[in-house]
Amino acid sequence: MKVNELVKYIAENANVTQIEAKATLEAMLKGITESLSKNDNVTLVGFGTFQVKDRAAREGRNPKTGETIQIKACKVPGFKAGKGLKDAVNKK
């Protein structure tokens, strides 16, 4: 599903216009992004948790040359699915 399809789905299921649905989706994504940039988790009960994870420094290889390179430590966004989402995906 792409953003436009999601906006249309939200609009139809929430009885709002597509403009309102798009604004709501953008506000939600902005809120999650801002929280993660402050190193805060975002928990949506039954859906999952967005969190910042620390990735350790490590050695990698340049795929073109095969040369060993050092990759710096960094922070990356992560998502851990909640029970409700897991159950919905695994519904039989």
Side-chain angles (χ1 to χ4, degrees):
M1 180 180 283
K2 296 182 181 175
V3 173
N4 289 337
E5 295 166 328
L6 182 57
V7 166
K8 185 176 179 182
Y9 181 86
I10 292 169
E12 290 172 357
N13 286 278
N15 284 333
V16 296
T17 66
Q18 287 190 22
I19 292 170
E20 293 169 327
K22 185 174 182 179
T24 303
L25 178 61
E26 288 173 352
M28 184 189 88
L29 295 175
K30 183 178 179 184
I32 292 170
T33 301
E34 287 179 4
S35 291
L36 292 177
S37 70
K38 295 174 186 172
N39 227 16
D40 291 335
N41 292 345
V42 177
T43 302
L44 304 173
V45 176
F47 184 75
T49 301
F50 295 91
Q51 58 196 357
V52 177
K53 298 179 180 181
D54 291 316
R55 182 173 285 170
R58 62 195 190 280
E59 278 190 356
R61 291 207 181 270
N62 180 330
K64 265 188 177 174
T65 64
E67 174 188 4
T68 300
I69 57 173
Q70 288 296 319
I71 301 171
K72 295 179 182 179
C74 63
K75 295 179 184 266
V76 294
F79 178 76
K80 182 177 179 185
K83 183 176 180 342
L85 180 58
K86 287 179 186 176
D87 289 347
V89 169
N90 291 311
K91 192 178 354 177
K92 294 181 181 175

